[in-house]
Each structure stands twice: as structure tokens, then as C-alpha cells.
Amino acid sequence: MSTLRLILGDQLNENHSWFAKKDANIHYICIEAQSEVNYVRHHILKLATFFVAMRSFCKQMKGKGFVFHYITLDDKTYQGSLVSVLEAYLSQHSYEKFEYQLPDEYRVDVELKQLAKRLQKKGIAVKIFDSEHFYTTREEVGDFFGNKQPRMEFFYRSMRKKHGILLEDDGSPLGGEWNFDAKNRSKYDGKAPIPKRKERKTNIEDILSLFKNTKTMGRPAKTIPWPTTRKEALEDLDFFLENVLIHFGVYQDAMVSGEPILFHSLLSFALNVKLISPKEVVNAAIQTYYKKNGKITLHSLEGFVRQILGWREYVRGIYWAKMPEYQKLNAMGHKESMPDWYWTGDTKMNCLSQCINQSLDLSYAHHIQRLMIIGNFSLLLGIDPKEVDAWYLGVYVDAIEWVEITNTRGMSQFADGGILASKPYVSSANYIQGMSDYCKSCFYDAKSKEKENSCPFNVLYWDFFHRHSKFLAKNPRIGMAYNNWNRLAPKEKEMILKKATEYKRNKNSL
Ligand code: FAD
Ligand code: SF4
């Protein structure tokens, strides 16, 4: 019996039980498929990073003695979608079994299920395996909440208990609190040195030439900073734990001009393509905390663990509970088109210029830049969540739909009406000024909503609440905003709304 096993581009897990023993009758296939390159307009560096990682994985597993077939994007024999290439390959070779791991994307899941049916009709047996990566199963978050309103905090606490993570002996949370978020909101004061990362020189010039005829976004570079092998991912994890975790919590929400990474881990790509597992990252962080004997604060450690054990698993569970309906939700009814400068970074708004330009250069922005700068502005302007999703899915190296759409459409655009988050994440310039140095060198005035050059956030913020008062005024978490809006004199309200309309009309030249 010979078997063909599919390895998707985000299933580069050498510790999967598939690789526990070698069998010459089991072959593996990895495909650079046109459909995966083109399903959205991707950042050129995102595509290159995926292909480098896939090629390295294949080469390494071949070296270990596994039989790997690798189909490159320019292979003339196999062109088309992932599934059509697979089908052609299977029909040209005499495999009796086809096996795959549960994909993380709904779209691919549907396509593979349909393929499985067709293959079974032709007498090819199909078997599906777990990807053995996450803490939870696909259904776990949905089952945990049932018909109740999902909330990350409750799920996170249950995960801490279930997996015995950061608990006292009596099962209560270590340090007496489940969540130290309030201590993780400092502006960067320049005191902690920003760690110098070892420059990675993975050359991608050959790979870039593959995308000559592909409509991409972003700016090409000769090298990429991302770990594309397990060895590199483990090196980056070590670097983070040794040098960066100590400041992660405090400056988690901080933003600094010209410092795209600050105190973040850069591990999302390696995690999402399964070069490393969430369990080993969480366990290594906890071990480092104890090893450093008091140097790393509990709030830094807990903040980091919460992102991986909490948010990452939670958004995945919401995705599987709510797809495919989730991808159409637009609770705010937003229809605006995206300003042109999302594709060029050419805007006078310094915060957006910093965050969009670094996204176009690196295919990376950290969480608060994605949420409270680009996402915040997109929501205030009222951009159609379909366009926002496509931009986020294309631009970031770690963007795979299960984690992108939940964060973008749900957390950032409130288009799910509050399934994922309990209130929209919006702010005026006040928050941005409080968490960054962006406003200091901006064309716009962060303090004003009256002047000619008033910060667009300041007027769009009130315009947003005014437009959505029917939907949002009853939300107990935002009552305060409406109290403040209602205290303003009618003339002032009128002036703010007029300015917001002017900014919306001229969105391309902001
Ligand atoms: P760190 O700040 O060092 O955090 C450590 C790890 O925690 C990350 O690597 C990631 O695996 C996990 N994590 C942190 N926050 C989240 C979260 N909200 N959801 C899931 N995992 C989280 N993350 C993606 O992996 N892919 C995406 O496509 C993606 N799109 C996003 C879109 C928006 C609008 C927002 C607000 C967030 C998005 N995130 C996404 C979550 C988060 O911004 C990134 O995981 C993080 O910036 C990656 O950088 P890092 O590895 O340096 O993270
Ligand atoms: Fe952004 Fe407004 Fe600050 Fe300029 S003034 S950086 S537009 S928040």
C-alpha cells in the first residue's frame, strides 16, 4: 500500500507523529500552488517567507530520509489550484491512500473535504489527522461557551486551570490575579535599552523572481528577518526569553517611531506555520521566569502567556464556531473604500505613516499598531470590513485567515457586533499621544478638534459615536463616551461633524 501525505505551507511541524518513523511507502507532497499565492493580494515578502520555509522544511525532511515531493510555483507540469495540482498528481501516480492534517483555514478545509469525496469514489482511501499543534481542538471554544456570550477572559482562566499554568498549589492564580493587564500599559520612556536583534540574512532574490507576474503589495527586500526553520525559530525564542521578555509586559502597548518591533517576540510566523508549538513557547517562558529568579516580573510573563494560551487559542475557536458566516459580518454597516495610501504609506498622519510604512517594508506591525492605529482609523472612517480584511490578510507575514479575520473583522472592526470583543477599539489622538511619540512630529495637531489641522482621529472619533448611537449607546462599556458627547454644545457638535465630513471626503489626501 502506498500513501501520499499532504504538507500544507502552514504545517511545517517536524515533531508531528507522522515523522515518528520512516516508511518508504509513505510519500509526502508540498505544493507552491497558484491558488494560495493569489487568493488575496499578498505582500511580496510574505509569499517569499512562506516559500523559503516550505523549501527548507522539505529539504530537511528529505535529509532525514523521508520521501518528499516538492512542486514549485513555476513547475510547468503542475499548474493551478492546490486541489487541482493534488488531483493531477494523484491520478498520475498509483497511490492507494491519501492523508492530510486538519487545515487551519475554512476555505482549504472545504476544498480538501470535497477532494476526499472524489478520491474515495475512485477507490483511494482518505484519512485525516489532527495537526497536533494547538492546545485546543477546533470545537473546544464553541463548546465551552455554548449559547453564552463568549469572553476571552473566562476561556483563558479555564485554560490556565486545565493545563495547570501559572497556578498556586491550591489552584488559585499565581500572584493572586488572573490578569495583570493594567500594569502592561506604559509609554516607552527610553530607559530600557531596545535589544539589538541578530540580523538574519536569508537571501530571497531567487524566490522573488517567481512573483514577476503576480500582483503583490509591499516592498521587496533582499533578505527577510523571519525565522524560516525550526532551528532559527528556537534561536529567536531563546533571544526573546533572554533579552526581551523582561520588558514585554510593561511596554506591550507602547509605540516608538522607527522602532517597529520594540519588545515583541516576532514569533507569530514560526508559530502559525508550526515550526514551533505554543506549548513549547509557553513552557519555555515559564522556565525562564523561574530561572531568572525575580528579574522578570510576573506581569510580563503573564502578559505573554495570555497572548498565546488565551488570545491565540480563543480566536481560533471563535473562527471554527462562526465560519463561514463570520466572513460576511458587517454589524456597523460600513461601506467606505480604503484610502489609496494604505498601499503606499503616503499620508501626513504620522502614526499611520509609521505603521503602514513599516508594514509595507517588513510585512510586520505589532499588536497595538494593528489595533489602535491602522484598525482604529479604519473603523472610525467606516471602511468596508471586506477591504480591511483583504488588506490585513495580504500585508502581514503571519496572516492566515483563522487568526487574521477574527482579529480584524472581530476585535478591530467590531463587524461581528461584539462576538469577540465587548466594545469597539476606537480612540481619539489622546490615546495615541499617551502610548507613542508619533504625535510629536505630525502635521496634525493632536490636541485640537477645531483648527484647520486638527487631528483627524479627534473628529472622526465623535463622528463614529454619533453615527452609531442607536447601536452603541446602550453598551454599558461605552456610556461614558456618550455622556461626554452629549455634554458638548450643539454648535461644537456641528463643527466636529462638519470637519469629519470634510476629512472623509478628502480621505485620500489626509
Ligand atoms: P508578540 O506581541 O510577541 O506576542 C506573542 C504571540 O502571541 C504572537 O506571536 C502571537 O502568536 C500571539 N498573539 C498575540 N496577540 C494575539 C491575538 N490577538 N491573536 C492571536 N494571537 C496573538 N496575529 C497573527 O498571528 N496573524 C494575523 O493575521 C493577525 N492579524 C491581526 C490583525 C489585527 C487587526 C490585530 C489587532 C491583531 C492581529 N494579530 C494577528 C495578533 C497580533 O497582532 C500578532 O500576533 C502579533 O503582532 C505578532 O507579532 P509578535 O509575534 O511579535 O507578537
Ligand atoms: Fe496620529 Fe493625530 Fe497624533 Fe498625527 S496627531 S500622529 S494623526 S494621532
Side-chain angles (χ1 to χ4, degrees):
M1 283 281 271
S2 64
T3 302
L4 186 69
R5 284 178 168 172
L6 173 66
I7 299 287
L8 293 170
D10 62 352
Q11 294 179 336
L12 312 181
N13 175 7
E14 67 176 65
N15 290 326
H16 194 277
S17 57
W18 273 2
F19 303 115
K21 64 175 179 16
K22 276 165 242 161
D23 181 338
N25 288 320
I26 298 182
H27 295 188
Y28 296 84
I29 187 165
C30 202
I31 302 167
E32 293 174 0
Q34 279 296 348
S35 57
E36 301 313 293
V37 167
N38 290 330
Y39 68 87
V40 76
R41 184 175 165 189
H42 281 112
H43 197 304
I44 190 157
L45 296 183
K46 177 184 179 188
L47 293 174
T49 309
F50 264 86
F51 281 15
V52 172
M54 287 159 69
R55 288 178 180 199
S56 306
F57 183 75
C58 195
K59 192 169 159 201
Q60 184 203 338
M61 298 315 275
K62 263 187 187 170
K64 287 187 176 181
F66 293 94
V67 187
F68 257 77
H69 303 290
Y70 194 91
I71 313 279
T72 55
L73 191 69
D74 54 1
D75 186 322
K76 296 272 178 296
T77 322
Y78 297 106
Q79 287 287 310
S81 71
L82 174 78
V83 166
S84 62
V85 171
L86 260 178
E87 227 161 353
Y89 196 86
L90 280 157
S91 68
Q92 283 160 21
H93 300 80
S94 49
Y95 291 105
E96 284 141 326
K97 267 194 191 170
F98 171 66
E99 297 181 344
Y100 67 92
Q101 297 173 23
L102 282 174
D104 289 338
E105 284 168 289
Y106 186 86
R107 172 182 62 87
V108 181
D109 195 51
V110 169
E111 285 169 10
L112 288 177
K113 275 186 188 143
Q114 288 165 351
L115 171 71
K117 277 193 193 146
R118 292 196 293 277
L119 294 179
Q120 278 157 342
K121 276 191 194 150
K122 289 182 190 163
I124 298 177
V126 177
K127 192 167 171 194
I128 305 167
F129 290 72
D130 194 89
S131 66
E132 301 172 8
H133 172 79
F134 293 95
Y135 278 95
T136 47
T137 62
R138 280 180 178 179
E139 295 76 28
E140 207 163 320
V141 172
D143 291 347
F144 178 79
F145 289 105
N147 292 327
K148 287 198 222 106
Q149 169 69 54
R151 283 295 164 251
M152 201 301 276
E153 187 60 28
F154 298 128
F155 165 74
Y156 168 58
R157 290 179 191 187
S158 82
M159 291 290 284
R160 292 263 299 270
K161 288 183 203 154
K162 179 172 172 186
H163 296 278
I165 291 173
L166 302 183
L167 298 180
E168 303 283 3
D169 291 344
D170 65 358
S172 62
L174 193 66
E177 307 276 345
W178 290 105
N179 181 323
F180 294 94
D181 211 19
K183 290 189 174 165
N184 290 347
R185 289 178 193 149
S186 298
K187 185 174 185 165
Y188 181 60
D189 50 12
K191 283 190 190 141
I194 298 170
K196 278 248 166 311
R197 307 181 75 88
K198 198 174 88 185
E199 216 181 307
R200 184 160 283 126
K201 298 259 191 268
T202 313
N203 195 300
I204 52 167
E205 278 175 285
D206 284 354
I207 297 241
L208 290 185
S209 65
L210 280 175
F211 309 120
K212 281 194 302 273
N213 301 322
T214 304
K215 194 170 183 203
T216 56
M217 67 185 292
R219 298 170 188 137
K222 287 190 178 145
T223 59
I224 39 170
W226 310 104
T228 49
T229 63
R230 177 167 167 79
K231 184 170 167 285
E232 290 176 352
L234 290 173
E235 281 166 14
D236 281 14
L237 174 62
D238 277 353
F239 178 84
F240 174 76
L241 297 178
E242 278 303 313
N243 307 289
V244 190
L245 177 61
I246 188 166
H247 302 302
F248 176 84
V250 194
Y251 300 121
Q252 202 175 328
D253 291 0
M255 294 168 283
V256 179
S257 303
E259 290 292 347
I261 300 158
L262 212 57
F263 298 104
H264 292 269
S265 70
L266 277 201
L267 287 172
S268 50
F269 175 77
L271 276 163
N272 294 353
V273 301
K274 307 182 180 61
L275 292 172
I276 46 174
S277 82
K279 277 183 203 147
E280 68 186 319
V281 174
V282 166
N283 290 343
I286 295 170
Q287 273 168 21
T288 308
Y289 168 78
Y290 285 112
K291 194 179 82 190
K292 296 270 178 184
N293 212 3
K295 277 203 182 127
I296 295 173
T297 58
L298 182 57
H299 55 93
S300 257
L301 174 69
E302 188 280 320
F304 184 68
V305 168
R306 184 165 8 107
Q307 306 312 316
I308 296 175
L309 179 71
W311 279 109
R312 190 167 184 271
E313 299 286 327
Y314 176 69
V315 300
R316 171 175 182 258
I318 296 285
Y319 179 77
W320 285 105
K322 303 292 177 191
M323 279 295 279
E325 300 77 22
Y326 205 82
Q327 64 195 345
K328 296 211 174 85
L329 298 179
N330 186 359
M332 317 293 288
H334 283 169
K335 293 195 181 79
E336 278 285 337
S337 62
M338 188 168 255
D340 300 341
W341 42 262
Y342 273 61
W343 308 91
T344 62
D346 188 10
T347 166
K348 299 192 286 295
M349 303 174 76
N350 190 38
C351 53
L352 280 146
S353 166
Q354 291 280 334
C355 296
I356 292 181
N357 275 305
Q358 76 164 69
S359 303
L360 297 174
D361 283 338
L362 286 178
S363 192
Y364 177 82
H366 68 67
H367 188 72
I368 287 300
Q369 296 176 311
R370 296 186 202 196
L371 185 67
M372 293 310 295
I373 305 292
I374 307 173
N376 183 3
F377 186 78
S378 307
L379 181 56
L380 292 181
L381 194 67
I383 304 177
D384 188 331
K386 204 162 47 173
E387 287 197 31
V388 186
D389 263 339
W391 189 85
Y392 275 90
L393 189 57
V395 76
Y396 293 118
V397 71
D398 53 32
I400 304 179
E401 193 188 63
W402 65 272
V403 56
E404 175 281 318
I405 200 170
T406 38
N407 271 295
T408 304
R409 196 169 277 251
M411 187 190 300
S412 152
Q413 298 303 294
F414 209 63
D416 66 3
I419 295 175
L420 199 114
S422 55
K423 67 173 174 73
Y425 282 95
V426 285
S427 80
S428 63
N430 203 19
Y431 171 87
I432 297 169
Q433 204 172 22
M435 291 314 301
S436 77
D437 63 357
Y438 293 152
C439 303
K440 274 197 302 200
S441 40
C442 185
F443 167 86
Y444 293 102
D445 183 345
K447 292 277 178 228
S448 164
K449 42 187 186 305
E450 299 88 21
K451 289 192 204 157
E452 184 58 29
N453 68 335
S454 299
C455 169
F457 278 92
N458 290 347
V459 290
L460 291 173
Y461 177 79
W462 291 119
D463 180 69
F464 171 83
F465 282 114
H466 175 70
R467 275 187 286 133
H468 293 296
S469 58
K470 263 202 194 129
F471 182 39
L472 296 177
K474 287 191 210 102
N475 184 326
R477 297 202 63 201
I478 18 189
M480 183 75 146
Y482 282 100
N483 291 343
N484 290 339
W485 174 240
N486 292 332
R487 267 202 285 270
L488 298 181
K491 269 220 145 96
E492 193 174 2
K493 283 184 176 172
E494 196 186 317
M495 183 271 300
I496 290 172
L497 296 177
K498 199 167 149 220
K499 185 93 186 146
T501 308
E502 179 196 317
Y503 277 155
K504 282 194 278 187
R505 205 169 30 235
N506 297 316
K507 63 187 173 194
N508 283 324
S509 42
L510 283 177

